[in-house]
């Protein structure tokens, strides 16, 4: 039956195309299916701590308005707001966990008792977390910006919150793959071409649209630097038969170009689907497009799909349910106000009075722009049916495409006939789900004994510079013992057998049966760190290892897992793809990328540990290709071929050069930052090929705040870092000192137009965000504020302060940005060029970096080390000490 769909498309050898599609999509299907199977088990349950929160500003305004309208019957919130935090025992909880808790499809959470260290107490059968109906708490609302949930009741004190993983996203991605594979529509032929052999795929030529000067809507200032590039992109996107791609650094006008494209398409009666991986990106475009100052806004009838709590205040008027309610009330007033109604008017009134169905249909049919996240869009009434395969929209515009994987892109892509891909590969990459990575990496080497041999030998013989981790491993077969011997010999790790007469105290890893290890336990090395054995076995050795870890301040360190150790290193290595390469600029030290690659190689099996080393490595590489690259990078560069792939495709190799040149535009000019702020990223991130500053940019960013001699400055603070909490109190104090000085100036120099000056306080760690929040609350005298703080009158403040992690601030900007490094170690997380680039490109007028500069200078072969070397700096002196 599937072959009929391919025959209907025409072209040469539809059977070959179907075969290429099947084998091209199979790795994605296997990756998603393995992840889904795991996510449906109790082992995938997520947990977070909580503290009492406060209603977000929008809810307080709503309650105040309701009280004003109902003076005799005060309105109070029905639920309780709680702020989500990392558990005490997992201070480095990934951002993805918070994102999952805040998902608009989450309807309930569960509470779980924990000990004083944050470890779970209530366990189910088999050691997994269990759920009980009496512990279920309904979620009433959520606030994405502050990571708060509104619950129907407060959890018990000391309890944590559990979340059953939601597999809806995975199911819809799988459904999209299956639909493209089994029931492709003729309009989806270009999507199949992405999987076709590069030697056979034919990408049609086309001429960009000619648009007269008088017909441009918002790109009408041709003298403005960069407008010609924006216009070129719109002209290409209007005529492309398949794809158009736009790359642009921060502040280069990507959003403006998208707005122009939407207006041009609306003028031709085209229906547009606007998507992004984040709500912020979607709302940024919608707010800009529907701004009252846009004279052409009436060309667009937008509908914003998504939970109301995730939609910005400015965009909330177009949120689907609110839009329907507003239009229903407007029509009711108009029709009921008629003294005499025609038959059709009465029929419409009757239909509206009996519910929202009629008005909902009118809204959905009239909307020529539908907006939502790549998954949130599934709440659209016409899209909810997962069996739909025919496109509803003429064009899909995918913003922030550098954060969207191919499988995530495919969900909205199946709903359109043409695809416009917009983003910046030098900013944040797709979210890496550590669980999905580990599950799929583990499937590459199914035998537990082989995985354990690889990770135990790796940990025991960790590269120099790290304290050794002696392992004792209880084995019950000679085959398993031989795996350990082969792996240890290949990696040069000292292995001893407890069953032999040799000395054990020199060994880095000791293997043997349970009885042999028990018999010679007193001979084992004193720095024993881990024991791999059943939980109740070798109790004496388990206690010895626990005591050593406690002495080394790593008591929470678990027995290493091969898939986890390999998975996170693969993700971190991918983050280093734009880092300085070995041998550049006379480097002496190894780069982070080199170190991570070496560690990955040492984690891989050698001959004799698994049946086929080449096959295992090829499977692991396949996981990397599926999980990490974005659709934007895949189309521009390709995500790489497997070892056995002779013929590449547009996904593996990127679009052919000629086709890509016709379809891609790079925006090279920025209009956000003072040139001093843009300089570092211009040189070291974009290689002097983008992020150019117009000649008048310095004049546009002129101001009289003169606390520092430079617009981009590093304040050298050698603070005390709390590794368990990921917090640095000294840097938090320095942040407040800087805010105090800026506030004095801002109070005397109100911003033109009456708007407050905007400050963003950014940090890489949630722990430091929490530390700074505590200081901000005391200084601002806003004890319940979470993310937004102010100085001045409540209704008309002269200073607005936003506290946020770097990862969540992409897409935002501020007049002054204060970045707290917090950590005294240049970790691979901090050294990510993409993450650092986002942090450095948010400020309009001034950027202040606070951190231990000398510690960062030690990372001389990284972008962070280069920044510490190049950035003008001052020695921080506390305001208290100065006074």
């Amino acid at each position: 039956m599937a072959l009929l769909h391919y025959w209907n498309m025409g072209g040469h050898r539809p059977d070959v195309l179907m075969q290429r599609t099947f084998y091209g999509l199979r790795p994605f299907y296997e990756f998603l299916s393995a992840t889904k199977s795991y996510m449906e088990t109790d082992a995938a349950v997520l947990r977070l701590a909580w503290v009492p929160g406060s209603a977000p500003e929008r809810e307080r305004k709503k309650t105040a308005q309701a009280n004003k309208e109902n003076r005799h019957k005060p309105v109070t919130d029905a639920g309780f707001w709680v702020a989500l935090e990392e558990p005490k025992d997992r201070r480095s909880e990934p951002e993805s966990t918070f994102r999952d808790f805040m998902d608009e499809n989450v309807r309930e959470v569960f509470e779980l008792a924990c000990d004083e260290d944050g470890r779970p107490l209530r366990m189910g059968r088999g050691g997994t977390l269990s759920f009980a109906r009496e512990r279920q708490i309904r979620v009433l609302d959520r606030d994405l910006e502050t990571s708060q949930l509104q619950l129907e009741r407060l959890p018990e004190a000391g309890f944590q919150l559990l979340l059953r993983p939601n597999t809806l996203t995975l199911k819809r991605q799988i459904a999209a793959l299956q639909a493209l594979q089994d029931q492709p529509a003729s309009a989806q032929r270009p999507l199949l071409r992405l999987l076709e052999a590069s030697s056979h795929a034919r990408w049609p030529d086309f001429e960009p649209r000619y648009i007269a000067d008088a017909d441009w809507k918002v790109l009408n200032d041709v003298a403005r630097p960069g407008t010609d590039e924006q216009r070129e992109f719109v002209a290409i996107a209007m005529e492309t038969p398949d794809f158009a791609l736009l790359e642009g650094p921060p502040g280069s006008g990507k959003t403006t170009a998208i707005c122009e494209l939407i207006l041009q398409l609306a003028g031709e009666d085209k229906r547009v689907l606007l998507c992004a991986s984040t709500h912020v990106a979607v709302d940024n475009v919608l707010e800009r497009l529907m701004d009252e100052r846009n004279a052409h806004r009436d060309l667009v009838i937008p509908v914003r799909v998504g939970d109301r709590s995730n939609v910005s205040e400015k965009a909330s008027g177009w949120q689907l349910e609110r839009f329907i309610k507003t239009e229903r009330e407007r029509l009711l007033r108009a029709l009921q106000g008629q003294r005499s109604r025609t038959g059709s008017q009465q029929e419409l009134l009757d239909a509206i009075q009996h519910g929202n169905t009629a008005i909902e249909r009118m809204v959905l049919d009239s909307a020529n722009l539908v907006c939502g996240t790549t998954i949130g869009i599934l709440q659209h009434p016409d899209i909810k049916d997962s069996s739909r395969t025919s496109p509803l929209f003429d064009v899909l515009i995918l913003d922030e495409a550098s954060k969207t994987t191919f499988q995530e892109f495919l969900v909205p892509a199946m709903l359109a006939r043409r695809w416009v891909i917009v983003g910046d590969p030098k900013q944040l990459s797709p979210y890496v789900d550590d669980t999905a990575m580990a599950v799929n990496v583990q499937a590459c080497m199914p035998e537990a004994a082989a995985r354990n041999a690889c990770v135990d030998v790796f940990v025991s013989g960790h590269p120099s510079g790290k304290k050794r981790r002696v392992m004792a491993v209880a084995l019950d077969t000679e085959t398993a013992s031989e795996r350990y011997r082969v792996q240890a010999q290949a990696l040069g790790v000292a292995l001893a057998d407890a069953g032999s007469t040799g000395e054990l105290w020199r060994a880095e890893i000791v293997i043997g049966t349970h009885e042999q290890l028990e018999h010679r336990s007193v001979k084992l090395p004193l720095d024993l760190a881990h024991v791999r054995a059943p939980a109740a076995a070798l109790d004496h050795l388990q206690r010895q290892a626990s005591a050593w870890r406690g002495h080394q301040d790593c008591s929470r360190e678990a027995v290493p897992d091969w898939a986890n150790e390999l998975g996170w290193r693969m993700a971190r290595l991918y983050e280093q793809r734009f880092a300085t390469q070995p041998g550049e600029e006379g480097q002496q030290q190894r780069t982070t990328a080199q170190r991570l690659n070496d560690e990955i190689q040492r984690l891989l099996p050698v001959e004799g540990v698994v049946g086929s080393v080449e096959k295992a490595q090829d499977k692991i590489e396949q996981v990397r290709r599926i999980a990490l690259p974005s659709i934007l990078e895949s189309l521009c560069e390709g995500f790489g071929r497997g070892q056995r792939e002779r013929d590449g495709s547009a996904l593996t190799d990127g679009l052919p050069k000629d086709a890509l040149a016709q379809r891609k535009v790079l925006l090279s000019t920025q209009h956000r930052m003072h040139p001093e702020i843009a300089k570092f990223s211009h040189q070291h991130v974009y290689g002097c090929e983008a992020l150019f500053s117009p000649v008048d940019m310095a004049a546009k960013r002129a101001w009289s705040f003169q606390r520092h001699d430079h617009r981009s400055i590093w304040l050298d603070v050698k603070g005390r870092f709390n590794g368990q909490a990921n917090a640095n109190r000294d840097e938090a104090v320095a942040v407040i000192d800087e805010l105090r000085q800026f506030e004095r100036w801002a109070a005397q120099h109100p911003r033109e137009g009456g708007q407050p000056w905007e400050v963003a306080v950014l940090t890489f760690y949630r722990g430091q965000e929490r530390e700074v929040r505590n200081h901000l609350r005391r200084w601002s005298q806003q004890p319940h504020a979470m993310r937004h703080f102010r100085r001045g009158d409540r209704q008309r403040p002269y200073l607005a302060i936003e506290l946020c992690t770097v990862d969540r601030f992409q897409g935002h900007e501020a007049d002054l940005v204060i970045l707290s490094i917090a950590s005294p170690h240049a970790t691979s997380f901090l050294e990510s060029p993409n993450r650092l680039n986002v942090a450095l490109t948010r400020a309009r007028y001034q950027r202040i970096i606070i951190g231990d500069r000398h510690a960062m200078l030690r990372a001389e072969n990284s972008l962070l080390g280069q920044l510490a070397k190049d950035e003008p700096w001052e020695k921080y002196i506390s305001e208290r000490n100065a006074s």
Side-chain angles (χ1 to χ4, degrees):
M1 180 64 72
L3 186 58
L4 290 176
H5 290 274
Y6 289 86
W7 276 105
N8 290 335
M9 292 184 182
H12 180 64
R13 296 297 301 272
D15 56 327
V16 174
L17 178 59
M18 184 177 74
Q19 185 181 47
R20 286 284 306 191
T21 301
F22 174 79
Y23 285 108
L25 293 178
R26 186 169 67 175
F28 295 93
Y29 178 81
E30 291 174 347
F31 180 91
L32 294 172
S33 297
T35 305
K36 175 176 170 291
S37 296
Y38 174 79
M39 297 297 279
E40 292 172 339
T41 68
D42 281 351
V45 173
L46 302 174
R47 61 183 173 94
L48 287 175
W50 65 277
V51 294
S54 59
E57 187 71 22
R58 59 176 170 80
E59 291 300 314
R60 291 199 294 270
K61 287 181 179 178
K62 188 170 67 175
T63 301
Q65 180 63 32
N67 285 331
K68 186 177 180 180
E69 297 172 357
N70 300 276
R71 295 180 180 178
H72 302 295
K73 190 177 181 181
V75 177
T76 58
D77 285 334
F80 301 85
W81 286 93
V82 300
L84 301 178
E85 291 191 341
E86 298 159 312
K88 286 183 179 179
D89 64 325
R90 298 198 305 202
R91 283 302 190 188
S92 297
E93 190 69 29
E95 188 74 32
S96 59
T97 302
F98 290 84
R99 192 176 69 253
D100 288 343
F101 266 86
M102 301 306 297
D103 189 277
E104 52 205 280
N105 294 302
V106 171
R107 302 303 176 196
E108 70 275 327
V109 292
F110 295 80
E111 57 184 352
L112 173 76
C114 298
D115 62 19
E116 293 183 355
D117 292 326
R119 290 186 288 262
L121 291 176
R122 190 182 299 274
M123 307 295 286
R125 289 177 298 176
T128 57
L129 299 172
S130 62
F131 299 88
R133 185 175 296 276
E134 62 270 18
R135 291 301 181 186
Q136 179 177 311
I137 306 176
R138 192 158 56 94
V139 176
L140 305 178
D141 203 352
R142 60 193 54 77
D143 185 61
L144 200 64
E145 286 196 340
T146 59
S147 293
Q148 290 191 107
L149 294 178
Q150 187 185 34
L151 305 178
E152 63 177 343
R153 65 174 175 84
L154 280 176
E156 289 193 32
F159 281 47
Q160 291 180 7
L161 296 178
L162 301 183
L163 177 67
R164 273 181 172 161
N166 190 325
T167 58
L168 175 64
T169 298
L170 294 168
K171 289 177 181 177
R172 293 310 294 262
Q173 290 178 5
I174 291 172
L177 290 170
Q178 291 174 330
L180 183 60
Q181 176 181 296
D182 299 334
Q183 306 172 53
S186 57
Q188 292 156 351
R189 180 67 179 86
L191 293 177
L192 299 179
R193 195 176 295 130
L194 295 175
L195 303 158
E196 202 170 358
S198 299
S199 56
H200 291 88
R202 296 292 178 263
W203 295 91
D205 294 328
F206 65 95
E207 288 295 324
R209 173 74 58 87
Y210 170 74
I211 302 176
D213 286 344
D215 292 332
W216 291 100
K217 313 300 182 186
V218 293
L219 295 176
N220 40 35
D221 184 2
V222 71
R224 188 172 189 260
T227 299
D228 54 339
E229 295 168 338
Q230 293 171 304
R231 285 186 170 189
E232 181 187 3
F233 158 71
V234 174
I236 289 172
M238 291 295 292
E239 284 297 325
T240 181
D242 37 62
F243 295 93
L245 293 86
L246 178 66
E247 282 189 17
S252 59
K254 297 187 294 294
T255 300
T256 304
I258 290 174
C259 289
E260 179 70 56
L261 175 59
I262 291 172
L263 291 170
Q264 293 289 341
L265 290 168
E268 295 188 352
D269 294 327
K270 303 294 186 184
R271 294 195 74 204
V272 178
L273 176 61
L274 171 68
C275 286
S277 60
T278 65
H279 294 280
V280 170
V282 175
D283 290 340
N284 278 347
V285 176
L286 183 55
E287 290 171 16
R288 184 82 62 86
L289 188 67
M290 303 308 292
D291 191 295
E292 292 182 357
R293 292 169 292 183
N294 179 9
H296 305 281
R297 65 197 296 266
D298 291 339
L299 286 172
V300 181
I301 302 176
V303 164
R304 174 65 162 91
V305 181
D307 192 274
R308 68 183 181 89
S309 61
N310 292 330
V311 180
S312 72
E313 186 175 349
K314 290 183 181 179
S316 61
W318 294 280
Q319 194 261 345
L320 180 58
E321 286 74 22
R322 182 170 174 178
F323 194 176
I324 291 171
K325 180 182 178 182
T326 301
E327 289 302 296
R328 182 173 183 269
E329 292 172 351
R330 183 181 65 82
L331 283 173
L332 279 173
R333 285 195 302 270
L335 292 171
Q336 289 172 343
Q338 294 264 6
R339 292 186 176 181
S340 60
R341 290 183 285 272
T342 65
S344 58
Q345 287 175 332
Q346 184 61 49
E347 186 176 344
L348 177 58
L349 177 60
D350 292 340
I352 294 175
Q353 287 177 328
H354 285 85
N356 288 336
T357 304
I359 191 67
E360 177 185 86
R361 191 68 266 157
M362 292 170 62
V363 168
L364 294 177
D365 288 344
S366 60
N368 56 4
L369 174 65
V370 175
C371 316
T373 61
T374 50
I375 299 303
I377 202 72
L378 299 175
Q379 296 182 39
H380 190 289
D382 294 340
I383 301 174
K384 285 182 178 179
D385 181 8
S386 60
S387 63
R388 173 181 291 277
T389 59
S390 57
L392 287 171
F393 301 91
D394 296 293
V395 178
L396 163 67
I397 300 176
L398 179 68
D399 196 9
E400 284 199 341
S402 58
K403 297 173 67 174
T404 307
T405 61
F406 170 73
Q407 55 270 31
E408 185 182 355
F409 156 76
L410 205 57
V411 175
M414 294 294 289
L415 303 168
R417 296 176 176 84
R418 290 185 289 155
W419 306 271
V420 176
I421 313 295
V422 181
D424 179 10
K426 299 297 180 68
Q427 294 189 60
L428 290 176
S429 303
Y431 288 115
V432 178
D433 190 313
D434 292 338
T435 298
M437 281 288 289
V439 167
N440 283 275
V441 166
Q442 180 169 308
C444 300
M445 203 153 67
E447 294 183 73
R451 297 196 302 269
N452 292 341
C454 290
V455 73
D456 290 349
V457 170
F458 169 78
V459 171
S460 300
H462 204 278
S464 60
K466 301 284 186 179
K467 291 183 179 180
R468 74 174 192 166
R469 294 286 194 269
V470 178
M471 298 280 297
V473 186
L475 301 171
D476 53 9
T477 67
E478 180 56 32
T479 301
S481 298
E482 184 60 22
R483 285 193 173 106
Y484 274 82
R485 294 189 191 99
V486 170
Q487 188 76 13
Q489 183 177 7
L491 269 62
V493 174
L495 179 144
D497 193 326
S500 69
T501 58
E503 294 180 331
L504 303 184
W505 64 273
R506 295 180 178 178
E508 295 172 300
I509 183 167
V510 181
I511 62 173
T513 64
H514 175 279
E515 292 78 12
Q516 290 167 345
L517 290 171
E518 186 73 49
H519 178 67
R520 303 195 66 190
S521 60
V522 296
K523 301 291 186 181
L524 264 62
L526 295 177
D527 53 349
L528 179 67
H530 292 291
V531 179
R532 188 177 294 282
L538 300 173
D539 184 60
H540 171 70
L541 289 179
Q542 299 275 15
R543 290 199 304 271
Q544 177 183 334
S546 178
W548 185 87
R549 294 196 304 274
H551 184 264
Q552 298 297 319
D553 199 26
C554 55
S555 57
R556 294 172 179 166
E557 189 177 285
V559 176
D561 177 83
W562 178 78
N564 287 332
E565 294 290 335
L566 184 57
W568 76 257
R569 285 178 171 83
M570 290 168 61
R572 289 287 184 269
L573 179 60
Y574 185 74
E575 289 182 349
Q576 295 292 321
R577 65 197 182 281
F578 295 122
T580 304
Q581 297 302 309
E584 293 184 14
E585 301 179 4
Q587 290 180 15
Q588 299 297 319
Q589 297 182 2
R590 289 194 312 163
T591 65
T592 298
Q594 287 175 311
R595 176 178 58 79
L596 288 169
N597 189 63
D598 289 348
E599 291 177 3
I600 288 172
Q601 294 305 312
R602 291 177 66 86
L603 275 163
L604 296 177
V606 300
E607 291 291 344
V609 175
V610 293
S612 172
V613 172
E614 182 180 344
K615 186 176 180 181
Q617 292 180 348
D618 192 40
K619 287 183 177 180
I620 293 169
E621 177 61 15
Q622 180 173 284
V623 171
R624 181 201 65 79
R625 297 197 303 270
I626 300 302
L628 301 178
S630 69
I631 179 62
L632 179 60
E633 287 186 86
S634 295
L635 293 180
C636 292
E637 308 291 341
F639 56 61
R641 301 186 192 182
Q643 293 180 3
R644 302 179 184 180
E645 289 184 86
R646 291 180 298 176
D647 297 323
S649 65
L651 280 183
T652 63
D653 300 354
L655 289 169
K657 289 184 179 180
D658 292 344
L660 184 62
Q662 277 192 313
R663 291 162 171 80
K664 177 185 171 184
V665 173
L666 171 66
L667 301 182
S668 60
T669 305
Q670 67 90 15
H671 295 274
R672 173 185 297 171
M673 296 159 268
H674 188 282
E676 283 187 35
I677 299 172
K679 181 180 178 181
F680 183 84
S681 288
H682 166 69
Q683 292 180 343
H684 297 285
V685 177
Y686 296 97
C688 298
E689 295 180 353
L691 209 69
F692 290 97
S693 298
V695 292
D696 61 345
M697 201 65 210
K700 287 183 177 179
R701 291 294 178 257
W703 68 353
S704 60
F705 181 58
Q706 301 295 329
R707 174 169 168 79
H708 302 291
D709 293 334
H710 298 275
R711 292 302 188 92
S712 181
I713 191 77
W714 187 305
L715 294 187
D716 191 12
V717 178
K718 190 174 179 61
R720 292 159 292 181
F721 182 65
N722 183 337
Q724 290 190 343
N726 281 340
N728 190 316
R729 182 183 180 279
D730 298 287
E731 288 192 22
V733 170
V735 168
I736 299 302
D737 282 347
E738 292 302 309
L739 287 173
R740 186 177 288 112
Q741 290 297 318
F742 185 69
E743 189 234 359
R744 293 171 185 168
W745 176 85
Q748 301 299 319
H749 298 81
R751 190 171 190 171
E752 187 178 347
Q755 296 300 311
W757 289 101
E758 298 173 352
V759 178
V761 179
L762 305 182
T763 181
F764 295 97
Y765 301 102
R766 279 185 173 269
Q768 181 66 356
E769 180 187 30
R770 189 162 45 245
E771 179 72 25
V772 174
R773 180 182 294 120
N774 292 334
H775 288 259
L776 271 172
R777 284 174 170 176
R778 290 192 293 269
W779 175 68
S780 67
Q781 297 181 354
Q782 294 172 257
H784 301 296
M786 293 294 297
R787 181 168 174 176
H788 297 282
F789 300 80
R790 67 180 180 277
R791 297 292 284 180
D793 182 73
R794 181 185 182 91
Q795 300 301 322
R796 296 183 63 83
Y798 55 81
L799 185 61
I801 304 165
E802 185 169 2
L803 172 65
C804 196
T805 60
V806 171
D807 283 31
R808 286 186 292 153
F809 205 69
Q810 178 165 314
H812 296 268
E813 57 188 90
D815 300 316
L816 166 64
V817 170
I818 303 174
L819 173 66
S820 173
I821 302 291
S823 175
H825 305 293
T827 64
S828 58
F829 179 80
L830 290 176
E831 287 184 345
S832 165
N834 295 57
R835 180 171 290 107
L836 190 58
N837 184 40
V838 170
L840 297 179
T841 54
R842 303 301 100 195
R844 302 187 193 104
Y845 289 85
Q846 178 134 46
R847 178 181 70 213
I848 301 173
I849 300 172
I850 297 176
D852 189 337
R853 176 175 172 270
H854 291 283
M856 299 305 110
L857 280 171
R858 290 195 288 269
E860 62 183 39
N861 55 9
S862 72
L863 189 68
L864 181 58
Q866 188 69 46
L867 176 67
K869 178 182 177 182
D870 291 0
E871 193 83 342
W873 65 281
E874 298 174 4
K875 189 68 178 177
Y876 167 70
I877 300 176
S878 170
E879 295 294 329
R880 297 174 184 175
N881 295 336
S883 61

